[in-house]
Amino acid sequence: MSGREFFTTRTVVQALAGFRPARRTTLEEVPLDDALHRVPAADVAAAAPLPGFAKSTVDGFAVRAADTYGASEGLPSYLDLVGAVRMGVPPSVAVRPGGAVAMPTGGVLPDGADAVVMVEHTAETMPGTIEVTRPVAPLDGVVRADEDVAAGAPLVPGGRPLRAPDLGLLAAAGVTTVIVRARPRVAIVSTGDEVVPPSTGQLRPGQVRDATASALAGLVRDAGGEPTIAGIVPDDAGALETTLRKALQDSDLVVVSAGSSVGTRDETAGAVAALGEIWCHGLSIKPGKPTLLAECRSDSGDGIPLIGLPGNPLSALVVFRVIGVPLVWRLAGCSVPPPEPSVPACLTRDLPSAAGRLDVVQVSVRDGAATPIFGPSALLSVLTRADGCIVVPEPATGLPAGSQVQVMLYR
Amino acid sequence: MSGREFFTTRTVVQALAGFRPARRTTLEEVPLDDALHRVPAADVAAAAPLPGFAKSTVDGFAVRAADTYGASEGLPSYLDLVGAVRMGVPPSVAVRPGGAVAMPTGGVLPDGADAVVMVEHTAETMPGTIEVTRPVAPLDGVVRADEDVAAGAPLVPGGRPLRAPDLGLLAAAGVTTVIVRARPRVAIVSTGDEVVPPSTGQLRPGQVRDATASALAGLVRDAGGEPTIAGIVPDDAGALETTLRKALQDSDLVVVSAGSSVGTRDETAGAVAALGEIWCHGLSIKPGKPTLLAECRSDSGDGIPLIGLPGNPLSALVVFRVIGVPLVWRLAGCSVPPPEPSVPACLTRDLPSAAGRLDVVQVSVRDGAATPIFGPSALLSVLTRADGCIVVPEPATGLPAGSQVQVMLYR
């Protein structure tokens, strides 16, 4: 974090590269069943090799490969069937030259054998004898004892959220708890004399229920964070500073959805400046210009990132997706957020955009066509009519109708 | 569901179109804070219009548009500033001809006004008078009282999982609880004499810890379901039937990861046949052919879908992603599952595929190139090395290196 720079406008690219607070959440141990999408603090290593024994990958017969060389339909190799391996228990017989042992898929390769012939390439024409009609090479039909994972090798990498299949490999290795970063605690502070809680039944003209906090809480959860709705503060710098100071004590990130009028924006900046260093005040993004990024200090001296969002709910959500979501992942030790759904589509109309500014345009998507949803940004219903958004990058000056675009889909 | 058809192989397209159990989960009411990704049973309608009052979308001055017609920099309209609207409270003044009232963004439009001039197009050169330098049309700078959502109009559609922005619109409308479908309860039964719980410390040669159940539980959670790990059953048709019968009583879907050898596959089919109707036994998918789909009956006569998965963990997960995940969403009343992440990539090598069979190939993705991960399907580590998979559809006979493919990414 650099020094004090007030009222500095930055691009989104600058903010993503430069606003990188050092804070990480604490470590905690969670059961495997609760570890989905949690971020391991470090590589999780295998205590023992996997599968741990040489096993058959097919139903067939364990053999010495050399005994099958030259075998064909016309001139099969004849081998003595000396026993059968049962699932889950060590073999009771070994394979000597000229011998074979019946194998289930997943069975332990008996001593002396170095390959398994698929049952389809054999025939049992006489009791106690099998014909092998195709040669096998050593290790055909076999997984070696450490072929899946060697002892000490990483099962899953640190810093990447655990996916469902990862849980399978960890379970196979006997890992039943994982040390992960705690979920980032994100305090969501709403401001505005006009803003009332969603539970308010009857509104007075001029009042609006707090839409942003609930939607932000959803985005925080999607990013693996734990949201706390810290309440609504009137347009008063003193009250805001008090609420922010309190939120800083037990949060990893503080998000303020600021008042949307000019005066309240300045109040937010004033309150934040008293609590830490403003990194930028103004972001080259549309919608979302009146964004503020800061690093504040808790009473114990910890650096806590703070995002001041525009008052308009749509703008606030756009900025939080672009700047806040990667930050929540980062606080949990994840350097590359997991992929979001997207779909290629054909733009149905021209999209103007100013160079040097990132434009985020809400779109509906039908049959491969992306149609921008315009209208006053004050409309909340755009939020639910949009299937996703298109990002027009900073250098571009717009996209013509017919452009192939990638739509980031909401889920 | 059609009648008894044993040992019938179906294509994936047939299974997705034809295996459509009628069962839906029960309804429950959840607080808005817990409603993310839950599926509303029906459209949620607005009780009152939103925003509920005509409001300003800019900082500026409420006026009668007609008073600004013809205004320009050179010949501004002069209007009497008769008051100011404060956020969150009804206006205390009205706008008469020739008058103007100062407006914050989001303020209530006073009686008599029909537009708001942006502050940028005005000047206050004398106390009590403003100059308007650009004309406005009626409704410029204004959102009408029901422009966002009309009373009775849907806020969010039924049958689509709630996204973070949806929670915002519901909060704005004062909706603090939502009636949703209960999370589908998915019982996961593992079978195999060789399979032991993940908590088993030391393995005997031949034993494997249950990898599939933990990974399936993760996929079930990702699909909005509630997994129950129902334990490990030895390869014994009687024991399996008993466990399945029990699981059917309090589940919306039963998933069996069957033994991988020929004999145990038949045992699973036998146990399932005693509990309901087998819809298909064999699916034209690679990996995953030994898949079984059935509709069983609970003791109370409810039809409960059952998926018999291959014993190989990788195959089991591939089939569950393709067949099971849409089914879990469907049980919750969601006809179109939410989008999964995907990325376009260039295939680095030829992929052979048989026509009439859906091939699912695990790939790693680097810098826009998708590299297939081959090797024995018995390897669990493929699960964690893969960034996603490519689906080669049933009619295709393979893809040449250099093909543009869409990789379904794991998250």
Side-chain angles (χ1 to χ4, degrees):
Chain A
M1 307 294 293
S2 59
R4 278 173 192 276
E5 293 172 79
F6 282 80
F7 309 108
T8 314
T9 294
R10 306 284 188 123
T11 66
V12 170
V13 169
Q14 287 169 338
L16 289 174
F19 183 67
R20 296 171 81 85
R23 185 175 183 82
R24 297 291 176 274
T25 61
T26 53
L27 302 181
E28 62 185 31
E29 191 165 5
V30 297
L32 193 62
D33 284 353
D34 298 335
L36 186 66
H37 304 315
R38 301 299 299 269
V39 184
D43 290 359
V44 180
L50 275 179
F53 56 92
K55 74 199 285 186
S56 174
T57 62
V58 294
D59 292 335
F61 296 91
V63 298
R64 293 172 176 251
D67 287 345
T68 68
Y69 295 165
S72 67
E73 293 277 349
L75 195 64
S77 295
Y78 292 86
L79 300 176
D80 293 332
L81 185 59
V82 297
V85 166
R86 279 174 45 225
M87 290 302 286
V89 294
S92 55
V93 289
V95 173
R96 285 152 311 168
V101 168
M103 293 295 298
T105 301
V108 182
L109 192 71
D111 284 344
D114 60 4
V116 179
V117 190
M118 289 173 72
V119 69
E120 291 85 340
H121 302 147
T122 64
E124 199 174 342
T125 43
M126 291 176 290
T129 302
I130 60 157
E131 297 178 6
V132 177
T133 56
R134 199 183 285 194
V136 284
L139 296 180
D140 275 1
V142 172
V143 163
R144 297 188 314 275
D146 66 351
E147 188 167 342
D148 210 343
V149 184
L155 295 159
V156 295
R160 194 199 74 191
L162 290 171
R163 308 162 179 163
D166 296 333
L167 305 185
L169 185 61
L170 291 171
V175 177
T176 55
T177 64
V178 191
I179 295 173
V180 298
R181 291 274 173 196
R183 293 189 186 283
R185 299 161 303 167
V186 180
I188 299 169
V189 177
S190 304
T191 69
D193 288 337
E194 77 283 19
V195 182
V196 297
S199 58
T200 309
Q202 193 69 33
L203 299 184
R204 208 167 54 193
Q207 290 184 323
V208 294
R209 297 186 191 90
D210 188 356
T212 308
S214 296
L216 284 176
L219 290 181
V220 167
R221 281 189 217 282
D222 273 343
E226 189 64 45
T228 301
I229 295 187
I232 300 163
V233 185
D235 288 324
D236 173 280
L240 181 57
E241 189 181 323
T242 302
T243 300
L244 293 181
R245 193 180 293 279
K246 185 160 171 295
L248 288 170
Q249 305 321 313
D250 49 9
S251 304
D252 301 299
L253 170 65
V254 174
V255 179
V256 193
S257 67
S260 51
S261 63
V262 174
T264 61
R265 286 206 294 268
D266 296 343
E267 272 173 17
T268 305
V272 172
L275 298 166
E277 294 176 8
I278 293 179
W279 188 84
C280 82
H281 190 191
L283 198 61
S284 300
I285 183 172
K286 183 185 174 188
K289 190 164 194 314
T291 294
L292 178 153
L293 300 174
E295 188 166 14
C296 296
R297 296 271 152 206
S298 70
D299 287 351
S300 55
D302 291 344
I304 311 286
L306 180 146
I307 306 178
L309 295 173
N312 176 282
L314 179 59
S315 310
L317 294 189
V318 163
V319 172
F320 193 79
R321 274 188 201 277
V322 171
I323 301 288
V325 165
L327 185 53
V328 175
W329 282 114
R330 187 177 167 81
L331 288 163
C334 172
S335 48
V336 181
E340 289 290 334
S342 67
V343 70
C346 179
L347 193 60
T348 59
R349 47 167 294 179
D350 292 344
L351 271 191
S353 171
R357 185 182 75 191
L358 189 96
D359 276 35
V360 179
V361 181
Q362 308 298 312
V363 297
S364 66
V365 183
R366 293 287 174 281
D367 303 326
T371 303
I373 302 174
F374 293 117
S377 67
L379 293 188
L380 292 164
S381 53
V382 170
L383 295 176
T384 57
R385 275 155 52 213
D387 297 305
C389 63
I390 295 170
V391 174
V392 186
E394 284 153 355
T397 52
L399 294 171
S403 297
Q404 275 295 315
V405 291
Q406 194 73 11
V407 179
M408 282 182 50
L409 293 173
Y410 300 147
R411 59 171 171 91
Chain B
M1 308 292 291
S2 60
R4 280 172 191 276
E5 293 172 77
F6 282 80
F7 310 108
T8 314
T9 295
R10 304 285 187 121
T11 66
V12 169
V13 168
Q14 287 171 336
L16 290 174
F19 184 66
R20 297 171 81 85
R23 185 174 183 83
R24 297 292 176 274
T25 62
T26 53
L27 301 182
E28 62 186 31
E29 191 165 6
V30 297
L32 193 61
D33 284 352
D34 298 336
L36 185 66
H37 303 315
R38 300 299 299 270
V39 184
D43 290 359
V44 179
L50 276 179
F53 55 92
K55 74 198 285 186
S56 174
T57 62
V58 294
D59 291 335
F61 297 91
V63 297
R64 292 173 178 252
D67 287 345
T68 68
Y69 295 164
S72 65
E73 293 277 350
L75 196 63
S77 295
Y78 292 87
L79 300 176
D80 294 332
L81 186 59
V82 297
V85 166
R86 280 176 41 227
M87 289 302 286
V89 295
S92 53
V93 289
V95 173
R96 284 152 310 168
V101 167
M103 293 295 298
T105 303
V108 182
L109 192 71
D111 285 344
D114 60 4
V116 179
V117 190
M118 291 172 72
V119 69
E120 292 85 341
H121 303 147
T122 65
E124 200 172 343
T125 43
M126 292 175 288
T129 302
I130 60 157
E131 297 179 4
V132 176
T133 56
R134 198 184 287 193
V136 285
L139 295 180
D140 275 0
V142 171
V143 163
R144 297 188 313 275
D146 66 351
E147 189 169 342
D148 209 345
V149 184
L155 295 160
V156 296
R160 194 199 74 190
L162 291 172
R163 308 162 179 163
D166 296 334
L167 305 184
L169 186 61
L170 291 170
V175 176
T176 54
T177 64
V178 191
I179 295 174
V180 298
R181 291 274 172 196
R183 293 189 186 283
R185 300 161 303 166
V186 180
I188 299 170
V189 177
S190 304
T191 68
D193 289 336
E194 77 282 19
V195 182
V196 296
S199 57
T200 309
Q202 192 69 34
L203 298 184
R204 208 167 56 193
Q207 289 184 325
V208 294
R209 298 187 191 89
D210 188 356
T212 309
S214 296
L216 284 176
L219 290 181
V220 167
R221 280 189 218 282
D222 273 343
E226 188 65 45
T228 301
I229 295 188
I232 299 163
V233 185
D235 288 324
D236 173 279
L240 181 58
E241 189 181 323
T242 303
T243 300
L244 292 181
R245 192 179 294 279
K246 186 160 170 295
L248 287 171
Q249 305 320 314
D250 49 9
S251 304
D252 300 300
L253 169 65
V254 174
V255 179
V256 193
S257 67
S260 52
S261 62
V262 173
T264 60
R265 286 206 295 269
D266 296 345
E267 272 173 16
T268 305
V272 171
L275 298 167
E277 295 176 8
I278 293 180
W279 189 83
C280 83
H281 189 191
L283 198 61
S284 300
I285 183 172
K286 182 184 175 186
K289 189 165 194 312
T291 294
L292 178 154
L293 301 174
E295 188 166 14
C296 295
R297 295 272 152 206
S298 70
D299 287 351
S300 55
D302 290 345
I304 311 286
L306 179 146
I307 306 179
L309 294 173
N312 176 282
L314 178 60
S315 310
L317 294 190
V318 163
V319 171
F320 193 78
R321 275 188 201 277
V322 171
I323 301 289
V325 166
L327 184 53
V328 175
W329 281 115
R330 188 175 166 80
L331 288 163
C334 171
S335 47
V336 181
E340 290 289 335
S342 67
V343 71
C346 180
L347 193 59
T348 59
R349 46 168 295 180
D350 292 345
L351 271 190
S353 171
R357 184 183 74 191
L358 189 96
D359 276 36
V360 180
V361 180
Q362 308 297 312
V363 297
S364 66
V365 183
R366 294 287 174 280
D367 303 325
T371 303
I373 302 175
F374 291 118
S377 67
L379 293 189
L380 292 164
S381 53
V382 170
L383 295 176
T384 58
R385 276 155 51 213
D387 297 305
C389 63
I390 295 171
V391 174
V392 187
E394 284 152 356
T397 53
L399 294 171
S403 297
Q404 275 294 316
V405 291
Q406 194 73 9
V407 179
M408 283 182 50
L409 293 173
Y410 300 147
R411 60 171 172 92

